[in-house]
Amino acid sequence: AGVGGRPSVDVAREWLQRLMGAAQLEAVRQRQRCSMELEFTLTDADIVALVRYQVEHSLSVKRRITRLHAGYTLGFGLLALGFYLLAPDLRLQLPFSLLAVASLALYRPLAWARLRASAPQMAREKMRPESVGWRKLRVSAEGMQQWSEHAESKVEWSLVDGIDVQPTHAFVSVGGIVKLAIPRDRVTRGSFDDFMKESLAIRAAA
């Protein structure tokens, strides 16, 4: 023992840290040995929700709307300025000035509203008979497996970009594409919340 028992305190702290590290490691190993399943039914409404989510989170769509928003606003603004410089007549300047202001304020929200409203049509164009119906998912340390009445697939966690849990659905992104919508209200076996919690934990530990 040292002065004031200091070495004993250090030894105890070291052993405690080792025990905590071992417990955390065992928890990770235990989670890796676990798997969980969820069964649900996909309907047309879920495909519409998937398409709408894809549109809202598409970087290319966001860039296109930003580009057009800036183009319309700048174009009408330059026309208004041009008429002011070349022919200072309020009757020529005012319409383009109003259009520039309207584009600045309204183009972006109107463009998004139009895209969201078109989601059902886009979903109908993409939909196939196998797009809807019974599904089973299993998550484990090896990845995420999916079964349907038509096919079976498996994806490793390294390819899963994200799992975004929303109030009505969870959306799974694979390889940069949102490929699956899991409806909260159409689960037929298992717990939606428990499955999502376990999926996120296993993915983080993988």
Side-chain angles (χ1 to χ4, degrees):
V3 178
R6 186 71 181 182
S8 299
V9 173
D10 292 339
V11 169
R13 183 182 295 111
E14 182 180 351
W15 274 103
L16 181 60
Q17 289 172 347
R18 288 181 179 179
L19 288 173
M20 290 178 65
Q24 291 172 351
L25 180 60
E26 180 59 29
V28 170
R29 288 173 176 169
Q30 183 66 27
R31 179 169 286 119
Q32 289 177 339
R33 290 193 292 266
C34 292
S35 65
M36 183 173 284
E37 293 184 353
L38 187 75
E39 293 187 25
F40 55 94
T41 302
L42 287 177
T43 67
D44 295 2
D46 303 314
I47 307 304
V48 172
L50 175 63
V51 170
R52 185 175 288 121
Y53 185 92
Q54 289 172 335
V55 168
E56 291 176 348
H57 292 78
S58 169
L59 292 177
S60 62
V61 171
K62 291 179 180 179
R63 284 194 292 264
R64 180 163 61 87
I65 288 178
T66 298
R67 185 173 64 251
L68 291 173
H69 182 215
Y72 281 121
T73 302
L74 183 61
F76 288 130
L78 289 175
L79 284 171
L81 179 61
F83 279 113
Y84 172 77
L85 296 175
L86 298 175
D89 187 338
L90 185 60
R91 290 173 299 177
L92 296 176
Q93 301 164 24
L94 186 59
F96 292 107
S97 298
L98 292 175
L99 286 171
V101 173
S103 297
L104 178 64
L106 300 176
Y107 179 81
R108 190 183 293 271
L110 288 177
W112 280 115
R114 180 175 174 274
L115 283 172
R116 293 187 185 103
S118 66
Q121 176 62 33
M122 290 189 286
R124 282 192 294 271
E125 293 173 356
K126 290 184 175 183
M127 202 174 299
R128 301 291 183 270
E130 61 270 19
S131 300
V132 296
W134 171 82
R135 294 289 188 278
K136 181 171 80 170
L137 287 181
R138 177 188 294 158
V139 290
S140 65
E142 288 73 35
M144 179 178 287
Q145 291 176 270
Q146 179 180 186
W147 290 266
S148 72
E149 297 171 349
H150 307 277
E152 176 184 345
S153 62
K154 180 178 180 180
V155 60
E156 297 179 355
W157 288 117
S158 60
L159 299 176
V160 178
D161 302 310
I163 302 173
D164 186 9
V165 181
Q166 298 286 319
T168 60
H169 293 79
F171 298 95
V172 181
S173 176
V174 179
I177 302 173
V178 184
K179 291 191 173 182
L180 178 63
I182 306 171
R184 181 185 293 271
D185 294 338
R186 277 181 281 283
V187 171
T188 56
R189 186 173 71 87
S191 166
F192 178 92
D193 290 325
D194 290 346
F195 184 84
M196 291 304 124
K197 182 178 179 181
E198 188 68 12
S199 299
L200 293 169
I202 292 177
R203 177 173 176 262

